[in-house]
Amino acid sequence: MRHFRNFLYFVVGLLMSAWAVFSHAETIPATSQSVSAYVIGNVSSTVSFADACNKFVSANGFTFFEINVYSTYAQCRFLQNGSLNSQNVTVSTVAGYVCPADQGWTLSGSSCHRPDCVSPQVRQADGTCAVPCPVYDGTDKPDLTAKPANCSCPSGTKWFYGGGCRKTCGYGAGSVANAGWDIAIAKGATTACFGGCEVQHGSGGYDILKDGSHSAPATYTDWACKGTGLGSAPTPDGQPTPDAQKIKEADKHQPKCGAGEGVITSSSGNVMCLPAGTPNTSTPKVETKKKTESYSDSSTKTTETTTTTDPNTSATHTSTTTTTTPSSSGSAGMAGPVGTSTSSESKATNASGTGTGEDGEGDCDPTEKACSGKAGEFGENGDLYEKKYQNGLPGVLTEKYNALKNTPIFGVVAQLAPANLANSGQCPTWSFSGSINSKINLGGMSLAPPCYVFDAVRAILLITSLLLARRLIFGG
């Protein structure tokens, strides 16, 4: 009875030991597939030529000497009864089982086993056990600049200086994000998200959107954005950070803008148009001026100026089209070369960028030079700097007199005026001479304006007298 009781204790202890071992180990079914079998004599191995050779030598009581491995077989050499003998090891394909490679599994029949990791170690993606590294949670940790020894970052993450193991995107830092498109980054920020991955702008120009954000080509930082999983830091709503606005580079063009199109301003001060419906753009302020000048030789010059303003930055783009017609003889006249010319000028006024655009003179001081931009344009001071008349003062008087003579009120004056209003004698010549002091002598000067000037002067005096008389009679 005592022997039976001891036997039961042994069985129970064996079962408890087995339970303790297997309860702290992982077991998975092995994969059934054809495997290579290495065979020598009465021994077979699925491991290697050397494993089969060693097992054969041990099983038969021989002493291992060496093994020479060739492409399809190996020669196992051993000492047998003091003599050096050899036997070939061959390879063949047989049905068998395999376990996942390089993850700590051991094949046992048709199952794979491996022990559990011992705390504080945890199972890594490669199947090994290691102490986990701190995981990035979106905050900087000055005490985590260096990766702790003997820890491993989870799969899909890598060590982030001063923060822990951070999730990566796998694109590689510096690779272009969405080629051909600009990506907006919020005002004051240095990064944004695109496709769940963090992007940043390089140095260089950018466009200023309505809310102050900057839009430019972007590259990946290789880090994942918040809310995309372990090591990416959480978001308040638990959802990934939304993608930033993108603008197709080919959609941008200089004014004039089409119907419904919006505008943005580049960092160099250029106003750019974008298709209707593009978010975060401003409705442009457009002002058009048209000026037509007629000359005594029947030539004309028409100048149409369109100014497009981005109300968000006050930057402007001015487009000028000048059309000149020939004189009555059919050739270029006083208006200048015949044809149509265009020019443009951008000006940054209170914009966030610098510079005055790509055309024209930008900010110009009219006290120092004529601010006319390009040939064929007139500047901010209008007629002051524009050479309109080829014949000097007589040309001016001639044109103005012709314009006055054809007005209705001048016709009334001609009917009411005395017969001797029109000049019929010799036109006067005004002259004077004198000196300011003994060192400055003006000499003799004379001025002989055209005779019709006096007609115009008398007409103006008569008109003034008529208006004064009306006021005295009727009041007001």
Side-chain angles (χ1 to χ4, degrees), residues 58-116:
S58 177
N60 289 280
F62 303 147
T63 302
F64 176 78
F65 181 73
E66 66 178 359
I67 182 171
N68 298 315
V69 179
Y70 304 100
S71 60
T72 59
Y73 73 97
Q75 187 181 61
C76 180
R77 304 183 73 188
F78 50 88
L79 294 174
Q80 180 181 359
N81 299 325
S83 300
L84 182 61
N85 292 324
S86 65
Q87 191 168 337
N88 289 343
V89 184
T90 59
V91 61
S92 61
T93 302
V94 298
Y97 296 91
V98 295
C99 295
D102 301 325
Q103 295 188 19
W105 296 104
T106 300
L107 179 65
S108 177
S110 61
S111 299
C112 301
H113 305 281
R114 68 181 178 187
D116 285 340

Side-chain angles (χ1 to χ4, degrees), residues 17 19 73 126 160 162 169 199 214 251 268 294 314 318 334 346 359 365 378 397-398 404 415 432 439 442 447 468:
S17 299
W19 176 83
Y73 73 97
D126 61 359
F160 176 64
C169 277
V199 295
H214 291 179
D251 285 344
S268 60
S294 301
S314 298
T318 302
M334 297 167 64
S346 293
D359 297 320
D365 186 352
F378 57 91
L397 296 175
T398 299
L404 179 64
Q415 295 178 10
F432 63 92
K439 295 183 179 181
L442 297 178
L447 177 63
L468 180 59

Side-chain angles (χ1 to χ4, degrees), residues 222-309:
D222 199 34
W223 300 114
C225 289
K226 294 181 179 180
T228 56
L230 180 68
S232 65
T235 55
D237 59 0
Q239 300 298 316
T241 305
D243 278 1
Q245 179 184 352
K246 60 179 184 178
I247 295 177
K248 192 173 184 179
E249 180 68 26
D251 285 344
K252 296 187 293 185
H253 66 90
Q254 288 188 334
K256 302 179 181 179
C257 296
E261 289 191 324
V263 289
I264 57 177
T265 301
S266 71
S267 55
S268 60
N270 293 313
V271 177
M272 305 298 291
C273 305
L274 285 171
T278 302
N280 210 1
T281 60
S282 301
T283 301
K285 178 183 176 182
V286 181
E287 181 181 11
T288 301
K289 294 180 180 180
K290 190 172 184 179
K291 176 182 179 181
T292 300
E293 300 162 87
S294 301
Y295 296 86
S296 58
D297 62 354
S298 299
S299 63
T300 63
K301 180 168 70 173
T302 301
T303 305
E304 184 174 350
T305 304
T306 301
T307 301
T308 303
T309 304

Side-chain angles (χ1 to χ4, degrees), residues 115-122 129-131:
D116 285 340
C117 296
V118 179
S119 181
Q121 293 183 337
V122 295
C129 296
V131 177

Side-chain angles (χ1 to χ4, degrees), residues 205-458:
Y206 53 85
D207 294 323
I208 306 166
L209 304 185
K210 187 176 182 179
D211 65 357
S213 58
H214 291 179
S215 179
T219 58
Y220 291 111
T221 67
D222 199 34
W223 300 114
C225 289
K226 294 181 179 180
T228 56
L230 180 68
S232 65
T235 55
D237 59 0
Q239 300 298 316
T241 305
D243 278 1
Q245 179 184 352
K246 60 179 184 178
I247 295 177
K248 192 173 184 179
E249 180 68 26
D251 285 344
K252 296 187 293 185
H253 66 90
Q254 288 188 334
K256 302 179 181 179
C257 296
E261 289 191 324
V263 289
I264 57 177
T265 301
S266 71
S267 55
S268 60
N270 293 313
V271 177
M272 305 298 291
C273 305
L274 285 171
T278 302
N280 210 1
T281 60
S282 301
T283 301
K285 178 183 176 182
V286 181
E287 181 181 11
T288 301
K289 294 180 180 180
K290 190 172 184 179
K291 176 182 179 181
T292 300
E293 300 162 87
S294 301
Y295 296 86
S296 58
D297 62 354
S298 299
S299 63
T300 63
K301 180 168 70 173
T302 301
T303 305
E304 184 174 350
T305 304
T306 301
T307 301
T308 303
T309 304
D310 180 352
N312 183 50
T313 62
S314 298
T316 62
H317 178 279
T318 302
S319 176
T320 303
T321 300
T322 303
T323 303
T324 305
T325 62
S327 64
S328 55
S329 65
S331 59
M334 297 167 64
V338 178
T340 300
S341 62
T342 59
S343 62
S344 63
E345 178 184 16
S346 293
K347 184 176 181 182
T349 305
N350 298 327
S352 298
T354 58
T356 56
E358 59 190 17
D359 297 320
E361 297 183 28
D363 294 326
C364 175
D365 186 352
T367 64
E368 297 182 354
K369 62 177 180 177
C371 301
S372 59
K374 295 182 176 181
E377 295 184 10
F378 57 91
E380 295 176 338
N381 298 296
D383 297 349
L384 179 60
Y385 295 110
E386 182 182 8
K387 186 177 182 181
K388 297 174 57 179
Y389 303 100
Q390 302 297 324
N391 298 325
L393 182 60
V396 177
L397 296 175
T398 299
E399 180 171 322
K400 299 303 181 184
Y401 173 73
N402 289 334
L404 179 64
K405 183 174 64 175
N406 295 324
T407 61
I409 193 168
F410 195 91
V412 172
V413 171
Q415 295 178 10
L416 296 177
N420 63 350
L421 175 64
N423 178 68
S424 58
Q426 179 67 32
C427 294
T429 298
W430 300 331
S431 62
F432 63 92
S433 62
S435 62
I436 297 176
N437 55 42
S438 60
K439 295 183 179 181
I440 301 177
N441 187 0
L442 297 178
M445 298 180 66
S446 63
L447 177 63
C451 293
Y452 54 73
V453 171
F454 299 102
D455 292 343
V457 171
R458 283 193 289 271

